[in-house]
Amino acid sequence: MTAGVERRTVVVHHRLHADFAVPFPWLHRLLGPGSGLELDTGGLRVRFGPWLVETPLDNLTGAEATGPYSAFRSLGVRLSLADRGLTFGTTTRGGVCLRFREPVAGIDPWGRIRHPGLTVTVSEPELVAEAINKIVAAS
């Protein structure tokens, strides 16, 4: 007979910070400190200058690296009229497209417009997509 077996829970805390791919130093200064994508056990946060998108991890449904993009469709903050997707863009080279279970607030300060997806031009889009897809697969 075995005495009570103690089960330990191991919590692994990972934090991923991905800076925007910024080809021009003045643009980096314009975005300000704290801009970028952060992913940790508290959720996903993407700051682009004054804009902020936040959501819990269980609201993520997937991600994929995308691009390259045309300059018109990739630079600055852009709302897609076709699907209400949001883009935070700094380069035409490429980025990562994030998809959400429930649309998130982002473009307007009141949160009235909700976005089913967010494209961000981070410096390592493949790494971000892989991390998000591992989180989605594990849940």
Side-chain angles (χ1 to χ4, degrees), residues 2-131:
T2 311
V5 176
E6 180 182 332
R7 298 197 74 152
R8 291 184 157 181
T9 302
V10 178
V11 177
V12 179
H13 179 85
H14 291 284
R15 180 173 177 262
L16 171 68
H17 178 84
D19 287 322
F20 281 95
V22 180
F24 309 108
W26 60 267
L27 182 57
H28 189 64
R29 286 191 302 275
L30 184 66
L31 290 176
S35 286
L37 180 146
E38 291 199 5
L39 182 67
D40 58 29
T41 57
L44 170 78
R45 289 166 305 286
V46 182
R47 178 169 297 282
F48 188 82
W51 289 275
L52 175 67
V53 170
E54 294 181 289
T55 195
L57 296 179
D58 63 1
N59 194 35
L60 296 166
T61 61
E64 62 265 346
T66 60
Y69 315 118
S70 69
F72 173 72
R73 293 181 170 251
S74 66
L75 302 178
V77 176
R78 180 179 174 276
L79 173 67
S80 168
L81 298 178
D83 67 358
R84 296 182 333 277
L86 182 61
T87 297
F88 292 160
T90 57
T91 182
T92 59
R93 286 188 305 233
V96 62
C97 178
L98 315 171
R99 295 180 310 280
F100 308 112
R101 185 168 279 104
E102 294 293 325
V104 299
I107 198 165
D108 66 300
W110 307 280
R112 292 186 186 144
I113 300 172
R114 310 293 280 187
H115 313 285
L118 172 65
T119 299
V120 293
T121 55
V122 292
S123 57
E124 296 181 278
E126 294 83 9
L127 176 67
V128 172
E130 179 183 351

